[in-house]
Each structure stands twice: as structure tokens, then as C-alpha cells.
Amino acid sequence: KKGERNFRGAKLEGAELRAADLKGIKLNGAILRMADLREAKLYRANLRGANLYKADLSGADLRKSNLRGANLTKTDLSGADLRKASLHESHLREADLSEADLHQVKLKRANLMAAEVTEKQLARAKSLKEATLPDGRVHK
């Protein structure tokens, strides 16, 4: 619990981190492609610019996390708690956000093209300015 928390730029492709307690961890710029992070506790984690392509973050706690500029293409975020997370300029193309909590999430200039997310979920976001919506429209 009180161990190393700075893994900036780490190469953790395919890592098995299911249900891991990673609160406050620094994974900015890390490579987590196809990692298993189901139900992981990533509260206040720094994942800025991380590559999470096809990772499984279903049911993960990502509250107040920094995912700015992260690659979340084809990532499973179903049921994830993203309340107050920063997803500015993140790539969520074809991501599964079904049942994810997007209350007060920041999605400015994010790419949500073909993402599985409802209008009701997006209405809870704090910012959608210039975001590309699932249908390809750009939010004003």
C-alpha cells in the first residue's frame, strides 16, 4: 500500500492488475496496451498520455484521475467510475463506456467516435467542448 507509486513511462503491456490498489499511482506515458485493470482502484491516478489501447478497465475506480491525452481506443470502460476525471484530448474511439459514471468528467476535445455511450451519460459531463461525438459530430 505504501510502496512505489511512480511508474512514469513503464512498459506494462498485457499486465494482470485486476482489482489492484493503485490509488494515486503515476503511470503518465506508460504503455498498458491490453492490460487487465478490471475493478482496479485508480483513484487520483496520473495516466496522462498513457497508452491503454484495448485495455480492460471495466468496473475500475478512476475518480479524479488524469487521463488527459491518453489512448483509450477500443478500451473497455464499462461500469467504470470516471466522476471528475480529466479526459481532455483523450482518444476514446470505439471505447465501451456503457454504464460508466461520467458525472463532471472533462471531455474537452476528446475523440468519442463510435464509442458506446449514451446521450444521457454525456449530459452529465462537465465539458464536451470541441469533442468528437460517437456519431462524428463535433460538440460546440
Side-chain angles (χ1 to χ4, degrees), residues 3-49:
E4 181 67 37
R5 286 290 194 238
N6 190 351
F7 294 93
R8 182 176 181 214
K11 291 175 178 57
L12 298 165
E13 188 164 349
E16 297 288 333
L17 297 165
R18 185 175 186 173
D21 186 349
L22 303 171
K23 291 181 198 116
I25 196 164
K26 292 181 177 97
L27 286 163
N28 37 318
I31 298 169
L32 290 152
R33 292 169 52 95
M34 297 177 276
D36 182 357
L37 290 153
R38 287 177 284 173
E39 300 169 13
K41 293 166 189 71
L42 290 154
Y43 176 75
R44 289 190 182 266
N46 185 345
L47 291 152
R48 184 178 181 143

Side-chain angles (χ1 to χ4, degrees), residues 59-106:
D61 178 1
L62 289 152
R63 289 173 298 141
K64 297 185 179 181
S65 291
N66 182 354
L67 290 144
R68 185 177 189 139
N71 180 4
L72 296 156
T73 303
K74 296 187 178 182
T75 296
D76 186 351
L77 288 154
S78 59
D81 189 346
L82 289 155
R83 286 179 288 165
K84 296 187 179 182
S86 175
L87 288 150
H88 288 304
E89 301 167 346
S90 61
H91 305 277
L92 290 149
R93 190 176 184 101
E94 297 181 58
D96 182 357
L97 290 155
S98 58
E99 305 297 320
D101 189 341
L102 302 180
H103 183 73
Q104 294 292 300
V105 72
K106 298 170 192 146

